[in-house]
Amino acid sequence: MALNDITLGQYYPADSVVHRLDPRVKIVLLIVLIVAIFVAGNLLAYAPVIAFLALVTYLSKVPVKMMVKGIKPLRFILILTFVLNLFFLQGETPLLNLGFAVITKEALITAVHYSLRLVLLVMISSLLTLTTPPIVLTDGLERLLSPLRVIHFPAHEMAMMMSIALRFIPTLLEEADKIMKAQTARGADFESGNLIARAKAMVPLLVPLFVSAFRRAGDLAMAMEARCYHGGEGRTRLRVLKCERRDYIACAAVAALLALVILCGKVY
Amino acid sequence: MQVTLEHVTHTYQPGSPFQATAIRNVNLTIRSGEFLALIGHTGCGKSTLAQHINGLLKPTEGRVLLDGQDIHQKGFNKKEVRQKVGLVFQYPEHQLFEETVAKDVGFGPKNLGLPEGEIAQRVQEALDKVGLSLPGLAEKSPFELSGGQMRRVAMAGVLAMRPEILVLDEPAAGLDPQSREDMLQLISSLHRQGTTVVMISHSMDDVARFASRAVVMEHGTVVMEGAPEEIFRHPEELERMGLDVPSVCKLGMRLRAMGIECPQDIFREEQAELALLSLWKGGAGHGAE
Amino acid sequence: MAEPIILADHVSFSYEEGGPLAVQDVSLAVEKGSFQAILGQNGSGKSTLAKLINGLYVPTEGHVTVCGMDTQSEENTWEIRRRAGMVFQNPDNQLVATVVREDVAFGLENIGVPTEEMPGRIEKALRDVGMLPFADRAPHLLSGGQKQRVAIAGVLAMQPEAIIFDESTAMLDPQGRREVLSAVKRLNREQGITVLWITHFMEEAAECDRAHVMHQGRIVLSGTPREIFSDVKKIKPYHLDAPPMARLSQALRQQGMPIRQGVMTVEEMAEEVARLCR
């Protein structure tokens, strides 16, 4: 019950232009944006990216708080990136002499550059997951990868596996919670002891969980077969993806952004 | 030994958007030696309540007392509560994990830190109690057993802790009639041997047959409490809550509606048999006059 | 008599070659539009029989025909499964999608129903089982009875002629059981969908047209529910439980009270008592 209401991924339900974009377009544009962030040669080139991100966030109706939350788990890596670059990079223009290390202007710029790059990457990627339900995302991924079927890439199978995983994660979490409680009731201790003791303590949780997952898999396979599932061949879809005007506009906007970023890098 | 719940409220994920209060201001004493039935619609909070009895869940408000001592007080030995109050979850066979039946049943005693000899003795005793003392069975993998047997192994795993109170969450769920009856007889015999039993059940016929006291819950609160005859005196109320009523209660209601004088507190089949026989003999007597 | 939709002709089945027979020499005819029940304790072979009918298993001996198609020949498999759908025991383990509507679509997608046709069929199926208001919910947040009704809708959308229910109420609470059973009865009555109801709950079989008791892989009793369940002695050897009123009337008869044979429900019992005691 406690884990019953867990929401998957971090989808933020809202009705916005960004939410309505074709998932295929969103995935491709995300890749283009990542490229743009990587080709940005200097800090100035980030300005249009940041402006674009702000605009899309505004359009998506996703609260800024949610966006910032995505960075939180990365704060240590972020600090590490910043500090390492700041202290260990050699440069020509000293700004501050701390005795044990000299901070140079070049090091400061690089530190800001790399940290900013990381923050932007995370924020732009989370914008995709925040505005696209996981199942739609899977769908988009399947359609994008389906041309690869000619080289026997199992696009449909992969998408089906992902969507089944999405369906069963809450169920298995709930089950894990229950098994954990049942073993605790028999005196099991999941919380104390050293690392090895704790790892060993997981056995009474993991074995039943695996047994159950296998049983569920068997049941599900049978139920799917009974419902005439026989792979991706000859399958029709309830949801048909169709590119509309807003998708073309989004593509054009991102293309313009990429051009601008490259230009900024050259000019400076 | 006695467990008392004092003004217990439990809220899941407080402060989050998923905040949900499962039980609200519950006061309940589990008396030593009784067979208490917990009744209610799915989601009424009875499983949450059950998990408070052995301290698995901590009340958001209120206290749980074991012989007058607050079990969530600092310094109180939680393991002692877990040992004294055995909790058998729904579908307990889903918690089995060891290579052999004996090892699985011995998991609890081992966690109590008992010596090998003592563990072996308790395993044997627990398997005897659940009727699984067949030679060789203890060395089998629990996953090779039938569904009914697996459930009994899981029960034995709790019994091996030698609990004084046994809390069971729908112990007969999903079993076929024969295994069901075996399971209920087993619980009844444990109760006769002195174990206090708290049983969550959806079957009013089972409650009528075995319970000495029943508690009815709705929306997280206790709405009725008393001996089965008192509870089943209000069949309309139970039906309003979406609960079943023992079939013989329904028969009594029906007969009274037809204007036949049938005693109020009939809820077991034997009682109905006697009442109907005396009704018939009385009625036949009138007819003869 | 109406034509049989499901026909089992001396069917035997074992899980491994030369292994023990899970189903032994079973013959069964389920007529179009009927509601039949198969009862038996765990391990009696009733679930195996269900899977033989749906073509999930193929008989070791004998033949199963669904709508005139033999399950032995592979080209019939998909058509058989579409025409005789199946709902399983565990409500969690048969829903595939994260949204109710998409789960109902799953079967339609599999059999290649055109996209334009899908929404209408999905909505009708969900409405028929009373789950339309939940179309956009996540299955894991539904109750057991609701999940099973979604599973039924998933089968129903494929427009089957028969549905086999393999202990579909075994894991539900009484309320869920009532929900599912009443939905199924309505489908049978109003849409003429043939139902094969597999269970170990006697009460659920009480209102079917015809019931079969399985024991150790064989059908040992067949008849109307009244013929089978009102006689406590007849079903006892098969470890099944008679309905309480049948048990009570049996006990009263032993005490000399002349209750007529065949009493099964509370209403019938009350009438008998009224007849005898007034």
Side-chain angles (χ1 to χ4, degrees), chain B residues 41-42 176 178 258 269, chain C residues 42 173 175 239 247 278:
Chain B
H41 201 270
T42 302
D176 66 10
Q178 178 74 44
M258 290 164 83
E269 273 174 48
Chain C
N42 288 349
D173 62 12
Q175 161 131 1
H239 305 294
R247 272 202 311 264
R278 266 204 177 124

Side-chain angles (χ1 to χ4, degrees), chain B residues 41-42 91 94 148 170 173-181 202-203 205 241-244 247-248 250-252 254-255 258-260 269-270 272-274 276-277 279-281 283-284, chain C residues 40-43 46 89 167 170-175 178 200-202 236 239-241 244-245 247-248 251-252 255-259 265-267 269-271 273-278:
Chain B
H41 201 270
T42 302
Y91 298 98
H94 293 174
E170 285 188 66
L175 296 177
D176 66 10
Q178 178 74 44
S179 319
R180 223 189 119 73
E181 186 59 26
H202 281 303
S203 160
D205 285 303
M241 285 189 260
L243 299 173
D244 265 337
S247 326
V248 290
K250 280 188 207 152
L251 179 63
R254 184 85 194 184
L255 286 173
M258 290 164 83
I260 295 170
E269 273 174 48
E270 314 87 87
E273 196 184 318
L274 288 176
L276 293 182
L277 275 175
L279 205 61
W280 172 57
K281 282 178 181 148
Chain C
Q41 63 176 146
N42 288 349
K46 57 188 195 304
Q89 180 180 30
E167 294 196 57
M171 296 180 76
L172 304 182
D173 62 12
Q175 161 131 1
R178 279 194 295 267
H200 51 233
F201 292 115
M202 204 63 47
K236 201 136 197 221
H239 305 294
L240 292 173
D241 214 2
M245 289 303 129
R247 272 202 311 264
L248 184 60
L252 288 171
Q255 301 280 337
M257 193 168 164
I259 304 237
T265 65
V266 168
E267 284 70 32
M269 189 69 179
E271 274 162 32
V273 174
R275 181 177 70 83
L276 292 167
C277 299
R278 266 204 177 124

Side-chain angles (χ1 to χ4, degrees), chain B residues 132-144:
Chain B
L132 286 178
S133 38
L134 301 159
L137 190 132
E139 296 316 312
K140 269 194 174 173
S141 157
F143 299 104
E144 287 171 22

Side-chain angles (χ1 to χ4, degrees), chain A:
Chain A
M1 187 155 192
L3 291 161
N4 217 356
D5 282 334
I6 228 161
T7 35
L8 271 174
Q10 43 172 354
Y11 178 60
Y12 180 83
D15 185 27
S16 81
V17 185
V18 186
H19 283 76
R20 281 195 300 266
L21 285 179
D22 188 312
R24 293 172 298 183
V25 171
K26 281 199 258 190
I27 295 168
V28 172
L29 293 188
L30 172 70
I31 296 168
V32 176
L33 284 169
I34 290 174
V35 171
I37 291 169
F38 273 101
V39 299
N42 54 45
L43 284 178
L44 178 67
Y46 281 136
V49 178
I50 293 169
F52 183 80
L53 183 63
L55 176 70
V56 178
T57 309
Y58 170 75
L59 288 176
S60 72
K61 299 181 185 166
V62 174
V64 179
K65 212 172 74 187
M66 296 280 288
M67 298 283 293
V68 177
K69 233 171 90 183
I71 308 170
K72 233 177 156 185
L74 282 165
R75 58 190 185 277
F76 293 112
I77 300 181
L78 210 58
I79 293 168
L80 204 69
T81 312
F82 189 80
V83 170
L84 284 182
N85 277 305
L86 194 62
F87 286 105
F88 294 104
L89 222 68
Q90 306 294 322
E92 286 159 2
T93 335
L95 282 178
L96 194 63
N97 196 332
L98 291 171
F100 62 92
V102 180
I103 295 174
T104 62
K105 188 181 160 200
E106 288 77 12
L108 181 64
I109 289 174
T110 315
V112 172
H113 188 139
Y114 282 7
S115 314
L116 204 57
R117 178 186 283 178
L118 202 62
V119 170
L120 288 175
L121 282 176
V122 172
M123 281 181 122
I124 282 185
S125 318
S126 42
L127 205 50
L128 174 72
T129 50
L130 280 165
T131 61
T132 323
I135 192 84
V136 176
L137 205 57
T138 326
D139 230 30
L141 215 54
E142 179 185 351
R143 308 298 162 89
L144 277 178
L145 295 173
S146 59
L148 295 181
R149 264 202 309 253
V150 280
I151 56 161
H152 297 289
F153 183 82
H156 165 75
E157 285 75 6
M158 209 186 72
M160 181 56 83
M161 263 156 50
M162 274 167 70
S163 70
I164 288 174
L166 287 171
R167 154 76 186 83
F168 278 90
I169 285 169
T171 309
L172 288 174
L173 277 177
E174 200 182 320
E175 179 136 34
D177 181 54
K178 206 188 107 184
I179 295 169
M180 205 148 154
K181 278 183 177 161
Q183 308 298 29
T184 310
R186 290 208 278 166
D189 188 351
F190 293 100
E191 273 142 28
S192 48
N194 59 21
L195 210 60
I196 296 167
R198 278 199 211 191
K200 263 176 92 176
M202 294 307 273
V203 172
L205 168 64
L206 292 178
V207 172
L209 201 57
F210 273 106
V211 170
S212 140
F214 277 109
R215 192 183 49 239
R216 285 182 196 281
D219 282 4
L220 187 69
M222 192 157 274
M224 285 170 73
E225 257 195 70
R227 289 171 75 182
C228 298
Y229 179 70
H230 51 281
E233 220 170 297
R235 247 182 142 234
T236 47
R237 299 306 299 266
L238 169 63
R239 229 188 351 248
V240 187
L241 299 179
K242 229 171 73 194
C243 280
E244 291 183 38
R245 220 175 61 148
R246 57 172 171 265
D247 296 302
Y248 298 118
I249 296 174
C251 291
V254 171
L257 179 73
L258 183 63
L260 197 60
V261 167
I262 294 171
L263 206 66
C264 285
K266 289 261 161 70
V267 167
Y268 188 61

